[in-house]
Amino acid sequence: MQSDNNDPRHSDLHKLIKKYYNQVIRDKALQGKALPFHIKREFERYLTCGIHEHGMVRFQCGICSKDKFVAYSCKGRTICPRCNGRKMADTAKHLLEEVIPVVPVRQWVLSMPFKHRFMLSSDQKLLNTTLQIFNRAISGHYKKKAKSKNFKLSQTGSITAIQRFGGSVNLNIHFHTLFMDGVYVTNEMGE
């Protein structure tokens, strides 16, 4: 029923995780440690994502009566390229159509040094504080430029996506921040 080109079990990532996941769990257990529940859940859901044998829905065309079977997805937000890609596309569409005004936008990226990545990944308060400092620095840059052109009481606008993994599924905390490339100011009419 499932064609080979749509079967995620043929991807290199799926093969690697399937091959080594249980060994990692056993190695951790021998060390008296365990992966956090949410990490185990992500891996276990990923191993069933897009595979018909783990659940699917059937759609039927009302005109030609052809069937289409679509496998359930894990809706993962970390390691699953299918679900992560879909989530990114949906979020980008929402931001473009509903949130970001039609103004120039600039992306700023802050990557963390290797020695700080684990600390930031396990301390939400530190991660939030780091993001606040990053946003204040960029916002200050825009406000300083506005002040030099005699715009007072300017405001900036930004949206940040915190990415936790790199392309090699390695821990790589970094921020992708979209800043409106300029400032908002109140005009003479108070608008």
Side-chain angles (χ1 to χ4, degrees):
M1 181 186 308
Q2 189 160 6
S3 66
D4 284 350
N5 56 349
N6 285 334
D7 192 337
R9 292 174 287 197
H10 297 292
S11 74
D12 291 339
L13 179 61
H14 195 279
K15 289 175 186 174
L16 281 170
I17 291 174
K18 185 154 182 79
K19 182 176 181 178
Y20 294 108
Y21 174 68
N22 287 325
Q23 185 61 47
V24 169
I25 299 295
R26 284 191 295 273
D27 291 349
K28 289 280 187 194
L30 290 174
Q31 297 169 4
K33 299 177 183 176
L35 286 175
F37 170 76
H38 66 281
I39 299 292
K40 284 178 68 173
R41 183 182 61 212
E42 285 285 322
F43 279 103
E44 288 165 6
R45 284 183 180 171
Y46 169 71
L47 289 171
T48 65
C49 183
I51 300 172
H52 287 138
E53 290 86 358
H54 295 284
M56 64 184 155
V57 64
R58 176 181 144 208
F59 294 98
Q60 188 175 55
C61 177
I63 298 169
C64 70
S65 297
K66 268 192 161 184
D67 288 333
K68 180 172 183 170
F69 295 90
V70 179
Y72 291 147
S73 64
C74 66
K75 296 181 178 57
R77 295 179 46 172
T78 53
I79 62 169
C80 183
R82 286 176 157 209
C83 295
N84 208 11
R86 185 172 31 253
K87 182 86 169 162
M88 285 189 298
D90 290 346
T91 300
K93 181 179 186 292
H94 170 71
L95 291 174
L96 287 172
E97 294 177 356
E98 306 292 333
V99 179
I100 299 173
V102 182
V103 297
V105 175
R106 184 177 303 259
Q107 178 179 214
W108 296 74
V109 178
L110 177 65
S111 295
M112 307 299 169
F114 288 110
K115 64 183 180 180
H116 298 279
R117 291 177 183 174
F118 180 76
M119 191 171 31
L120 288 165
S121 72
S122 59
D123 187 340
Q124 189 65 42
K125 187 175 179 183
L126 180 61
L127 186 67
N128 289 340
T129 302
T130 305
L131 177 56
Q132 288 171 358
I133 293 167
F134 177 57
N135 280 336
R136 257 194 327 264
I138 298 169
S139 186
H141 163 74
Y142 282 114
K143 288 181 177 186
K144 186 177 177 181
K145 287 177 86 171
K147 193 172 185 179
S148 73
K149 297 185 185 310
N150 291 323
F151 291 115
K152 295 177 174 47
L153 301 174
S154 60
Q155 293 295 320
T156 59
S158 68
I159 297 169
T160 299
I162 301 173
Q163 192 166 345
R164 297 182 177 274
F165 292 94
S168 305
V169 195
N170 58 324
L171 180 62
N172 183 5
I173 299 285
H174 57 287
F175 304 135
H176 289 268
T177 301
L178 297 178
F179 259 89
M180 306 317 123
D181 201 20
V183 296
Y184 293 97
V185 293
T186 304
N187 63 19
E188 304 82 33
M189 298 171 63
E191 297 175 339

